[in-house]
Amino acid sequence: KCRADEYLESFNVLSILVAALAHDLGHDGYNNAFHQSTSSDLAVTYNGISILENYSAAYLFRILRKQKNNIFARLNEVETAKMRTRLIDMILDTDAKNHFMLMTRFKHGLEMKKLSRGLLSSMILHVSDVSNPARPGTIARKWAYVVQTEFFRQGDKEKELSIAKSPFMDREFENLPRMQVAFIDAVVHPVFRLLAEFLPLVEGHCIKPLQLNRAFWHNMLHRGTLKTDEIISFLDSQKKKDDSIILSNFDGDNNSDMSGDTHGDLPIPGIPADATQDSTTDVRRASVISLNLEGKKDFDPELGVRFEKKKSSTRRMSLPDSMVKSSQGVYRMVFAFMKDILESPIFQAMTFFATIYALFAFDLNLALGNKDGDIVIDYVTLVVFIIFTVELVLSLACVPKYIHFFFWLDLVASISLFFEIGLFAQASSALDAANELAIAKAGRAAKAGARAGRLAGILRMIRLVKIFKLAKWTLGRAIKKRQKDEEREDELENDIHFSMSIIGRKMTEAITKKVIIAVVLMLILFSATDFDYTPDARQIQLDSIAAFPDSTVLRDSFFDSHGNIIAFSGAGFEFVDHERQSVLRDVEVLTLASQSDGSISASFDISEDTATQAWYSLLITTFVSLLLATMGLLFSRDAYQMVIHPIEKMKSTVQKLSENPLLHLERIKNRGEGESNETDMLEQAIAKMAALLQVGFGSAGAEIIGKNLSDIGELNPMIPGVRVNAIFGFCDIRDFTFATEGLQQDVMIFVNKIAEITHRHVVKSGGHPNKNIGDAFLLVWKLKSGKNTNSSGDLQKGLFDSSLACMQHVIKDIRQAGNLASFLKDDRENMSSAWASSLSTYRVAMGVGLHKGWAIEGAIGSNVKIDASYLSPHVNIASRLESATKKYNVSLLMSEAFFGGLSGPIQSSCRRCDRVSFKGSTDPMVIYHQDESPLSTLRSPLENHTELLDATSWDEEEEINYRGLIKDTQSKLMSNTELAQREVYDALFNSYLDKDWKRCKIFCHLWIKHIPGDTIVNCLADKLSNHDWQCPEMWPGFFALSSK
């Protein structure tokens, strides 16, 4: 009913249905907080994170694992993985603790106009999950009773276990209405209202019943009817009555008790107290949601009661925008109805054909019609006049700033049409013949002006529709002829399809106005100068007859000369051809009188002249219409091609950049020498500036670029930061000071070569280079927003794997370059000869630290100079991990948080290095290293190999005590199988963590003997030997690293 399916694909609909079936699968009737406080098996299994939701998701996939239950069997591997991810996301989004976070994400998606189908699916499922108060009254109340029973069951269990009782779950303090009102105000109504911003039909189908149920529970609360039994008894008693009762909706501003009901520190039913809320809206302090129906009543058919709202001038609402008053609603409905009529294709077609009729019907009727058909023409003209009048009224009401040039043309066109309706013009037929010629002269000029006004109707269609479409079509054809590359053709053709810009509309209107004024002035000038200087023989003959009234010769000659005489009067002679006169229209009869005394008059049949004049008028009208259309199109076409279209492309480029600041813009090709113009230069400049902004700011500055490009106000680089979850990589070039001193100004070439290798691999893996600090680089792989930092990474293991693989490729490519001399073999012409030999021994190497965590992404600096970067302790941890690589003599170290995001196969190639705490942090973590090659290949002894063998040697007593361990370890190490060797290493590291350093010494000695090139074990052995392999009693289980 709310048309959400219009925005979803069948894949999304299927995922919603399956998630709806499974989101409470296996629910035991206790909430997550209870499982957490009791440390249940489920809480331990799922680490206290969305416990029941994780259990339901896992339960679902255990069911689907059976062949007979697998409803996704026909999906391919990619679709199955995508469906699994979507179902897990949606089910976890139903966790009440994630309610406010989901609302914030959805609100952000609406504001940025980037709402994904996945987020919409999660929102629909969550809204459905909490939608009971929006159901019909009887159903909503029955479920409320059941929910309260389940709450009391948990409360009894909490009392039995002597743990803190959850809100609304103590049966000794039963208050069902208070629980329902708080739940509606704080959770249900805000989330439905937010969804209604995207799906307006939610307002009528869901929010209205929700308000009715809220009014009922609020009334029960203030009646003091708090317990379920009392509420049921009350409803039973009301059903026996004939009259509907009135439940007065409570006015939150006039009753102080209500603030104690739904405000303050009252817990939200079903929402944990530590659930993260939107910082901009304190949902816990939601105000009263009233029905806000001034003087209206609403009826609940299930309850059999009527709800009436008290009238009040002021009322606090739970949302910032108050509900529209009824009078305003009626006005908006009427306005929308009028606008729909004005913009409807049917009305536009009627107006178009009415304009064509007004231009040509009158002349066609004179040329082809007869007197009997005039009445039909008059009525049709009346209908056309009504259409023009309706259009004029609707345009005045609905079109902003309509009263300008085209309004006056429309008005003239409508008024001029009124005088052509024969039903209203019959009074003018009684004018005497002496004035008829002068009136005809004036009427001719008036008719020219009237037609010029009516031409504005068809011109309006040309201006708004025809010119634009023809211009785009013509421009597209011209471009296609010049382009042979099909891909380039499609790109340019798509570029043409812009909506008319403001400057384009204004320029087109200005050109059209000038064309209309020129043509109208031309018509008026031609009409005003239309003088016939040839004497009329008929008038001369009538004057002669009047001078000699008794001359029958003159009269007979007059009749012989003019065979179209239909009436004659004077000089004692009367003649009327009634049959001929009856079929002629007034405009087809010319009456002349003697100029001396008017005693002699004659009427002539000029129907042939009228028809000829009508055909001529049709030709002029057609010519003028084509002239206006052609001139308007030709004048606008050049302006569109050379100015408007390039400006629209620039505007579209800026708009695309504001929506996606990291969008890659195609470079504009030069048209050749002498053909480039200013607009081409501007387009190229915009593309270059955009590329420079992207390169300079990077992904961290995307929000800065987008906000400032989308806002026409002043420059504001200091926009608020945004919290993001990401993988942070910190790289550092080893012995950079030595290279700088040797290379001097050429050090930039060296650094940029390193940066080129690093950035290329990072971008390829889906990451973003951020800061370049001389010898160091900060790299970022952004994680998709999730419910918490754990789940945000668990579903993106591919990004963790690719970031690790990326850094290994960087290390490998740089290491393959060998020494610095070979690394700069193409750029060392200016290298100092004094340093050349020294630099040949300098081996290019890099250390890398990888960590996952949160950071604040934004601008650092002032309005004078900013850097777009990330601020967080987690960024510092990545830096300190890189610094630790020098201590352990390895090229890469990763944190425990990063390691947890890797996929299983990649984790199996990594091993623990140490358990440490970094400077500035008291929380210890295990740090990991990924071996680039099998352990058995580390055969080259290190410099201190002999010393470490001596330091790890054992005496006879130790050999007796660890004889079995020594033999077993030796056999595993000599097997040269990776799995056996890693098993030995795990035992070695566990002995270290378990404070059994004597046992660890045995492992270290055997390891160093068989795998002498392992720097990690050598470092650990060197550190423990300084303590004489005796673990200090107060050792906390980790070592503190003091280096930054």
Side-chain angles (χ1 to χ4, degrees):
K1 290 183 179 181
C2 298
R3 298 184 180 177
D5 57 319
E6 295 179 3
Y7 303 95
L8 300 173
E9 297 176 347
S10 57
F11 183 92
N12 305 110
V13 175
L14 176 61
S15 66
I16 292 173
L17 295 176
V18 176
L21 288 171
H23 78 285
D24 277 338
L25 196 61
H27 200 297
D28 59 358
Y30 302 108
N31 61 18
N32 286 334
F34 178 85
H35 283 279
Q36 183 73 16
S37 61
T38 58
S39 298
S40 67
D41 290 341
L42 288 179
V44 173
T45 302
Y46 299 107
N47 300 316
I49 300 171
S50 299
I51 301 167
L52 293 170
E53 289 71 27
N54 270 307
Y55 174 68
S56 296
Y59 199 165
L60 167 65
F61 288 104
R62 280 198 294 269
I63 294 174
L64 294 176
R65 193 165 54 185
K66 297 180 179 179
Q67 189 64 31
K68 64 178 182 179
N69 299 333
N70 188 6
I71 59 175
F72 303 133
R74 295 189 178 183
L75 299 182
N76 59 38
E77 185 175 345
V78 175
E79 291 171 337
T80 302
K82 183 179 178 182
M83 177 63 74
R84 175 181 171 83
T85 301
R86 282 298 316 130
L87 290 174
I88 294 174
D89 275 347
M90 291 169 64
I91 293 175
L92 294 185
D93 276 331
T94 61
D95 184 359
K97 191 172 183 178
N98 299 325
H99 166 79
F100 298 108
M101 180 63 73
L102 179 61
M103 287 187 64
T104 301
R105 290 163 54 205
F106 193 83
K107 187 184 299 182
H108 181 70
L110 290 178
E111 292 172 353
M112 299 299 293
K113 297 181 180 178
K114 295 180 180 179
L115 193 63
S116 66
R117 290 190 178 95
L119 183 55
L120 177 59
S121 301
S122 291
M123 190 66 168
I124 291 173
L125 180 64
H126 177 59
V127 167
S128 303
D129 193 26
V130 300
S131 64
N132 179 63
R135 301 175 189 271
T138 52
I139 300 175
R141 286 189 288 275
K142 288 180 180 178
W143 278 105
Y145 305 152
V146 174
V147 169
Q148 183 174 248
T149 302
E150 186 175 280
F151 276 18
F152 287 165
R153 177 171 169 265
Q154 178 173 321
D156 295 341
K157 193 67 174 178
E158 290 171 341
K159 184 176 181 180
E160 178 184 336
L161 298 175
S162 299
I163 60 178
K165 296 178 182 177
S166 302
F168 299 104
M169 295 189 182
D170 191 345
R171 65 173 68 249
E172 295 179 5
F173 299 96
E174 181 178 356
N175 195 335
L176 180 58
R178 186 180 184 184
M179 178 180 74
Q180 289 296 308
V181 170
F183 183 57
I184 292 172
D185 286 357
V187 177
V188 187
H189 188 274
V191 76
F192 268 103
R193 181 63 69 187
L194 181 59
L195 183 62
E197 292 182 20
F198 183 73
L199 301 173
L201 293 177
V202 170
E203 176 81 28
H205 289 295
C206 304
I207 295 181
K208 195 56 178 273
L210 175 66
Q211 292 171 335
L212 290 172
N213 285 325
R214 199 263 182 203
F216 167 77
W217 292 114
H218 185 269
N219 183 270
M220 294 295 102
L221 181 62
H222 284 273
R223 283 176 174 271
T225 309
L226 308 180
K227 297 186 177 182
T228 303
D229 294 339
E230 296 173 355
I231 296 171
I232 295 174
S233 299
F234 172 77
L235 292 176
D236 291 339
S237 66
Q238 294 302 322
K239 289 180 181 179
K240 298 176 182 179
K241 297 182 179 181
D242 296 331
D243 298 330
S244 297
I245 62 170
I246 302 267
L247 295 181
S248 298
N249 190 33
F250 177 71
D251 188 340
D253 291 336
N254 299 329
N255 193 322
S256 60
D257 293 338
M258 186 59 183
S259 61
D261 294 336
T262 58
H263 298 173
D265 297 326
L266 180 67
I268 303 172
I271 302 294
D274 59 343
T276 304
Q277 298 191 29
D278 186 358
S279 59
T280 60
T281 306
D282 188 357
V283 187
R284 289 175 179 268
R285 297 186 176 273
S287 301
V288 177
I289 303 172
S290 64
L291 294 178
N292 197 26
L293 301 170
E294 296 289 347
K296 293 186 177 182
K297 300 177 180 179
D298 288 284
F299 184 72
D300 183 348
E302 293 83 16
L303 181 59
V305 297
R306 197 173 295 277
F307 302 88
E308 185 180 57
K309 175 184 173 296
K310 291 181 179 179
K311 295 184 178 180
S312 176
S313 58
T314 60
R315 186 173 297 278
R316 294 170 60 193
M317 305 299 294
S318 63
L319 294 175
D321 51 335
S322 60
M323 302 174 69
V324 182
K325 292 183 179 180
S326 58
S327 59
Q328 294 176 336
V330 171
Y331 169 77
R332 291 182 181 179
M333 289 177 61
V334 172
F335 178 82
F337 178 71
M338 294 170 64
K339 192 172 183 180
D340 289 342
I341 293 178
L342 183 63
E343 296 177 353
S344 66
I346 296 176
F347 187 78
Q348 292 290 328
M350 290 172 58
T351 306
F352 177 77
F353 287 113
T355 304
I356 298 297
Y357 173 87
L359 286 171
F360 299 104
F362 184 77
D363 291 327
L364 280 174
N365 183 42
L366 289 179
L368 301 175
N370 52 51
K371 187 175 182 179
D372 295 336
D374 285 353
I375 186 66
V376 177
I377 297 298
D378 286 342
Y379 281 114
V380 175
T381 305
L382 178 60
V383 173
V384 171
F385 174 75
I386 294 173
I387 292 175
F388 281 177
T389 305
V390 171
E391 181 194 23
L392 195 65
V393 173
L394 292 177
S395 298
L396 281 171
C398 303
V399 179
K401 300 180 181 179
Y402 177 63
I403 303 180
H404 63 309
F405 179 78
F406 291 102
F407 163 73
W408 298 112
L409 286 181
D410 288 343
L411 183 62
V412 171
S414 301
I415 294 175
S416 64
L417 189 64
F418 176 82
F419 294 104
E420 291 187 359
I421 302 175
L423 299 175
F424 304 115
Q426 292 178 354
S428 62
S429 62
L431 294 173
D432 58 323
N435 296 327
E436 193 170 41
L437 184 59
I439 293 174
K441 286 283 186 181
R444 205 174 302 144
K447 186 176 181 181
R451 288 181 180 172
R454 292 198 301 274
L455 284 171
I458 197 167
L459 188 62
R460 178 171 58 255
M461 308 308 252
I462 297 172
R463 177 173 61 87
L464 294 178
V465 181
K466 299 297 183 184
I467 284 183
F468 185 55
K469 289 185 177 179
L470 287 173
K472 288 202 299 181
W473 181 81
T474 306
L475 185 60
R477 298 286 294 179
I479 291 175
K480 284 183 179 181
K481 289 180 181 179
R482 295 196 301 265
Q483 302 295 333
K484 295 181 180 180
D485 188 353
E486 293 182 0
E487 295 182 0
R488 185 60 179 162
E489 283 182 5
D490 295 338
E491 182 180 341
L492 288 173
E493 188 174 4
N494 291 334
D495 285 345
I496 293 170
H497 291 275
F498 292 107
S499 59
M500 180 69 80
S501 63
I502 296 175
I503 187 173
R505 184 170 62 251
K506 288 184 177 180
M507 185 172 288
T508 304
E509 288 182 357
I511 293 174
T512 305
K513 287 178 185 178
K514 290 177 175 60
V515 171
I516 293 173
I517 292 173
V519 173
V520 169
L521 289 176
M522 180 181 67
L523 292 174
I524 294 175
L525 181 63
F526 287 168
S527 178
T529 58
D530 185 15
F531 295 108
D532 189 2
Y533 296 99
T534 303
D536 193 339
R538 292 171 296 190
Q539 184 66 52
I540 294 173
Q541 287 179 309
L542 282 176
D543 292 339
S544 299
I545 294 174
F548 303 98
D550 296 331
S551 175
T552 58
V553 176
L554 291 174
R555 186 175 67 241
D556 292 342
S557 175
F558 180 72
F559 274 88
D560 292 340
S561 302
H562 306 288
N564 60 342
I565 300 174
I566 59 173
F568 184 89
S569 175
F573 182 79
E574 299 289 337
F575 169 75
V576 177
D577 187 347
H578 292 285
E579 181 179 357
R580 193 173 180 181
Q581 192 178 41
S582 62
V583 298
L584 293 176
R585 291 170 283 202
D586 293 342
V587 294
E588 295 174 334
V589 176
L590 175 64
T591 302
L592 298 177
S594 58
Q595 294 181 350
S596 58
D597 55 1
S599 60
I600 306 297
S601 64
S603 298
F604 301 89
D605 177 3
I606 58 170
S607 57
E608 293 182 1
D609 294 339
T610 303
T612 302
Q613 183 63 31
W615 285 114
Y616 176 75
S617 179
L618 284 170
L619 181 63
I620 293 296
T621 302
T622 303
F623 172 74
V624 170
S625 300
L626 293 175
L627 179 66
L628 286 174
T630 304
M631 291 179 65
L633 175 61
L634 292 177
F635 290 157
S636 299
R637 179 175 177 271
D638 292 338
Y640 182 81
Q641 283 183 322
M642 293 186 289
V643 180
I644 299 174
H645 181 59
I647 291 176
E648 287 175 343
K649 287 181 66 178
M650 287 183 257
K651 173 194 170 185
S652 176
T653 299
V654 174
Q655 186 175 357
K656 289 178 180 177
L657 284 172
S658 67
E659 295 173 355
N660 181 11
L662 300 180
L663 177 69
H664 176 68
L665 297 176
E666 294 291 337
R667 295 192 62 183
I668 301 170
K669 294 182 180 178
N670 293 325
R671 299 182 181 179
E673 188 174 351
E675 294 186 4
S676 297
N677 53 41
E678 289 81 356
T679 55
D680 293 332
M681 294 173 58
L682 286 174
E683 289 183 65
Q684 292 176 355
I686 289 176
K688 289 179 181 178
M689 286 188 288
L692 284 173
L693 285 174
Q694 293 168 350
V695 171
F697 281 96
S699 64
E703 192 76 11
I704 302 173
I705 299 173
K707 287 284 187 183
N708 282 277
L709 288 180
S710 61
D711 188 2
I712 62 175
E714 296 182 358
L715 176 67
N716 178 26
M718 305 304 296
I719 65 172
V722 179
R723 175 170 170 148
V724 296
N725 291 321
I727 299 168
F728 301 103
F730 198 87
C731 309
D732 183 75
I733 304 173
R734 299 287 170 81
D735 298 324
F736 183 70
T737 303
F738 178 78
T740 303
E741 292 176 352
L743 295 174
Q744 296 295 320
Q745 68 271 16
D746 293 332
V747 73
M748 301 299 291
I749 300 173
F750 170 59
V751 172
N752 290 339
K753 275 184 171 286
I754 297 285
E756 191 277 329
I757 295 172
T758 305
H759 292 175
R760 171 164 46 85
H761 284 293
V762 169
V763 172
K764 187 177 180 181
S765 66
H768 305 279
N770 185 247
K771 286 195 298 187
N772 304 320
I773 319 170
D775 62 333
F777 306 95
L778 176 61
L779 314 169
V780 180
W781 290 264
K782 289 185 183 179
L783 298 170
K784 295 178 182 178
S785 58
K787 279 65 67 179
N788 49 58
T789 54
N790 290 324
S791 64
S792 65
D794 290 344
L795 303 180
Q796 301 177 68
K797 293 184 180 296
L799 189 60
F800 283 83
D801 294 349
S802 62
S803 61
L804 178 58
C806 156
M807 297 319 302
Q808 292 287 21
H809 285 305
V810 171
I811 294 169
K812 181 180 179 182
D813 288 355
I814 292 176
R815 184 179 295 161
Q816 284 179 346
N819 58 46
L820 184 59
S822 60
F823 189 77
L824 298 176
K825 60 183 177 181
D826 299 326
D827 301 285
R828 56 174 181 164
E829 297 177 359
N830 301 322
M831 186 183 297
S832 171
S833 59
W835 281 89
S837 59
S838 298
L839 293 177
S840 63
T841 62
Y842 173 83
R843 306 214 39 103
V844 183
M846 175 180 280
V848 177
L850 289 170
H851 177 61
K852 187 209 94 172
W854 62 265
I856 304 301
E857 176 189 81
I860 305 171
S862 67
N863 289 328
V864 178
K865 173 67 173 71
I866 64 168
D867 290 310
S869 190
Y870 299 86
L871 291 179
S872 170
H874 297 282
V875 177
N876 297 337
I877 290 176
S879 172
R880 286 168 183 145
L881 280 166
E882 184 281 322
S883 179
T885 59
K886 302 169 187 175
K887 177 179 177 61
Y888 295 94
N889 199 18
V890 293
S891 56
L892 183 145
L893 286 175
M894 64 191 88
S895 68
E896 190 172 357
F898 178 84
F899 174 82
L902 295 170
S903 62
I906 302 299
Q907 285 184 346
S908 63
S909 66
C910 303
R911 55 184 172 132
R912 295 170 289 179
C913 292
D914 204 345
R915 190 167 187 263
V916 298
S917 67
F918 292 104
K919 187 173 182 179
S921 173
T922 58
D923 297 329
M925 71 170 65
V926 176
I927 56 177
Y928 292 79
H929 171 70
Q930 185 186 40
D931 295 296
E932 304 169 32
S933 57
L935 296 174
S936 58
T937 61
L938 303 177
R939 297 299 186 184
S940 301
L942 302 179
E943 293 180 0
N944 60 343
H945 177 67
T946 305
E947 292 83 350
L948 285 177
L949 282 177
D950 293 339
T952 57
S953 61
W954 56 75
D955 54 28
E956 293 183 3
E957 182 180 354
E958 289 175 326
E959 184 174 3
I960 295 172
N961 293 336
Y962 295 104
R963 182 178 300 169
L965 176 65
I966 294 172
K967 184 178 180 181
D968 181 60
T969 303
Q970 286 177 333
S971 64
K972 289 180 178 179
L973 290 174
M974 295 179 66
S975 67
N976 287 332
T977 61
E978 187 77 8
L979 184 61
Q981 291 172 349
R982 288 189 176 275
E983 185 179 343
V984 172
Y985 181 83
D986 287 339
L988 182 156
F989 195 82
N990 289 334
S991 299
Y992 160 62
L993 292 182
D994 294 339
K995 303 181 181 182
D996 191 354
W997 290 3
K998 291 290 185 181
R999 180 185 180 91
C1000 184
K1001 182 176 70 170
I1002 303 298
F1003 284 118
C1004 288
H1005 181 84
L1006 296 174
W1007 187 274
I1008 293 171
K1009 186 176 180 180
H1010 288 84
I1011 308 177
D1014 186 7
T1015 59
I1016 297 175
V1017 173
N1018 286 351
C1019 179
L1020 180 62
D1022 183 57
K1023 178 167 55 177
L1024 298 185
S1025 64
N1026 292 334
H1027 294 272
D1028 198 23
W1029 301 97
Q1030 295 292 331
C1031 180
E1033 293 183 3
M1034 302 302 293
W1035 186 62
F1038 62 90
F1039 284 100
L1041 297 181
S1042 58
S1043 61
K1044 290 187 176 180

